[in-house]
């Protein structure tokens, strides 16, 4: 009798743990929910929530007190002199932009420049690219949304002679852009636009929430590792919000409209 009661109690506890550890993930925006709903509360997609693996399986979890094989990180003091060089701001030679960014761009930072179509995002960044190149900076302009010929026409309207250190990368693969950024170590990288990028490992078409999130994450990680500031151009929806439900804002360091 007592054994049956104990067995039933364990069964109920296991069921509760199973339900508590079950999550549902949106296939469109990767948002997580503890219960299934017909519509994702983040991106509004219908029928996109799928049951995912349990966060921690009660059966497979190691017993308390068992030795762990997890690796530990190395602690370093903020007073380390090697961090001092990373605190220097990179002036863009464009006074208005330097003003709103607090004096310049932080090495390894990612800035999102968003605005309505035709409002002047690409023209502003073309000016920044020219100004930085003139003072000796090496700038990579990723022409994902427009052709290199279109971008060159814009540049030649702003400057009679284009510096040799102003380069373009005609590419939409985020992994190629990230690898080029780390290999070339430019002074500044401009990606126009993040909605035109795509990643083979991510679901959806270019511009979808999952693609934008994955591409931005890959490029941001490359910027962190290389210490190169990156400016991403972001499009907005008809309501004036940045395309993607708060995905880009959480990944970047600075958001400019």
């Amino acid at each position: 009798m007592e054994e049956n009661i104990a067995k039933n109690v364990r069964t109920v506890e296991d069921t509760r743990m199973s339900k508590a550890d079950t999550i549902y993930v949106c296939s469109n925006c990767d948002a997580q929910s503890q219960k299934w709903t017909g519509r994702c509360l983040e991106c509004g997609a219908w029928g996109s929530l799928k049951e995912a693996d349990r966060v921690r399986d009660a059966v497979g979890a190691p017993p308390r007190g068992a030795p762990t094989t997890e690796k530990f990180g190395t602690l370093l003091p903020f007073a380390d002199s090697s961090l001092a060089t990373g605190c220097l701001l990179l002036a863009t030679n464009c006074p208005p932009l330097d003003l709103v960014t607090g004096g310049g761009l932080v090495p390894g930072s990612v800035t999102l420049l968003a605005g309505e179509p035709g409002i002047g995002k690409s023209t502003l960044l073309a000016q920044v690219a020219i100004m930085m190149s003139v003072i000796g900076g090496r700038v990579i302009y990723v022409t994902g949304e427009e052709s290199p010929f279109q971008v060159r026409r814009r540049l030649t309207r702003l400057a009679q002679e284009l510096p040799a250190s102003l380069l373009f990368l005609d590419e939409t693969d985020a992994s190629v852009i990230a690898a080029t950024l780390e290999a070339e170590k430019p002074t500044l990288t401009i990606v126009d636009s993040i909605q035109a990028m795509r990643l083979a490992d991510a679901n959806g078409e270019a511009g979808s929430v999952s693609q934008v999130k994955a591409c931005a994450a890959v490029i941001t990680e490359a910027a962190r590792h290389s210490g190169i500031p990156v400016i991403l151009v972001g499009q907005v929806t008809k309501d004036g919000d940045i395309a993607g439900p708060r995905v880009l804002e959480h990944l970047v360091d600075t958001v400019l409209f």
Side-chain angles (χ1 to χ4, degrees):
M1 183 67 176
E2 293 180 355
E3 292 180 357
N4 291 335
I5 293 176
K7 183 178 180 180
N8 291 335
V9 171
R10 286 196 300 270
T11 302
V12 172
E13 289 179 350
D14 290 344
T15 302
R16 288 177 178 175
M17 292 180 66
S18 176
K19 290 182 178 180
D21 292 339
T22 301
I23 60 172
Y24 297 89
V25 179
C26 176
S27 59
N28 185 48
C29 70
D30 295 331
Q32 297 183 0
S33 175
Q34 292 184 346
K35 62 180 181 179
W36 185 89
T37 56
R39 186 180 185 183
C40 176
L41 299 179
E42 289 291 333
C43 66
W46 288 95
S48 61
L49 289 184
K50 306 296 181 183
E51 183 176 349
D53 295 335
R54 296 173 187 172
V55 178
R56 186 177 181 84
D57 193 298
V59 178
R64 294 183 179 179
T68 177
T69 57
E70 295 179 356
K71 295 181 179 180
F72 296 94
T74 303
L75 298 177
L76 296 173
F78 277 111
D80 191 338
S81 59
S82 62
L83 297 176
T85 56
C87 298
L88 300 177
L89 297 178
L90 175 67
T92 64
N93 200 26
C94 178
L97 183 59
D98 289 337
L99 178 64
V100 297
T101 55
L105 303 175
V106 178
S109 66
V110 179
T111 301
L112 175 64
L113 179 64
E116 297 177 1
I119 204 167
K121 301 183 297 296
S122 298
T123 300
L124 172 62
L125 293 181
Q127 290 177 316
V128 172
I130 293 172
M131 290 176 178
M132 289 202 66
S133 300
V134 167
I135 61 176
R138 194 162 177 262
V139 181
I140 294 181
Y141 197 115
V142 181
T143 58
E145 192 165 278
E146 298 178 304
S147 70
F149 307 102
Q150 290 175 295
V151 177
R152 190 182 190 283
R153 288 190 62 185
R154 182 181 299 112
L155 292 170
T156 52
R157 289 201 307 266
L158 300 171
Q160 294 181 348
E161 184 177 352
L162 298 181
S165 58
L166 177 53
L167 311 169
F168 75 87
L169 177 62
D170 188 17
E171 185 62 61
T172 58
D173 190 328
S175 60
V176 173
I177 296 170
T180 304
L181 191 155
E182 295 195 59
E184 295 294 335
K185 297 289 191 303
T187 309
L188 173 67
T189 299
I190 298 172
V191 179
D192 190 1
S193 68
I194 189 60
Q195 276 81 13
M197 302 296 113
R198 69 181 315 277
L199 197 64
D201 296 335
N203 297 323
E205 297 296 326
S208 65
V209 175
S210 55
Q211 281 285 350
V212 170
K213 181 179 179 180
C215 293
V218 168
I219 296 174
T220 298
E221 189 68 18
R224 299 275 191 275
H225 286 166
S226 60
I228 304 301
V230 174
I231 299 179
L232 303 178
V233 176
Q235 305 298 339
V236 299
T237 64
K238 60 181 181 180
D239 297 325
D241 297 325
I242 299 176
R246 302 301 178 188
V247 171
L248 283 173
E249 293 97 313
H250 289 297
L251 289 174
V252 302
D253 301 290
T254 307
V255 180
L256 303 177
F257 281 89

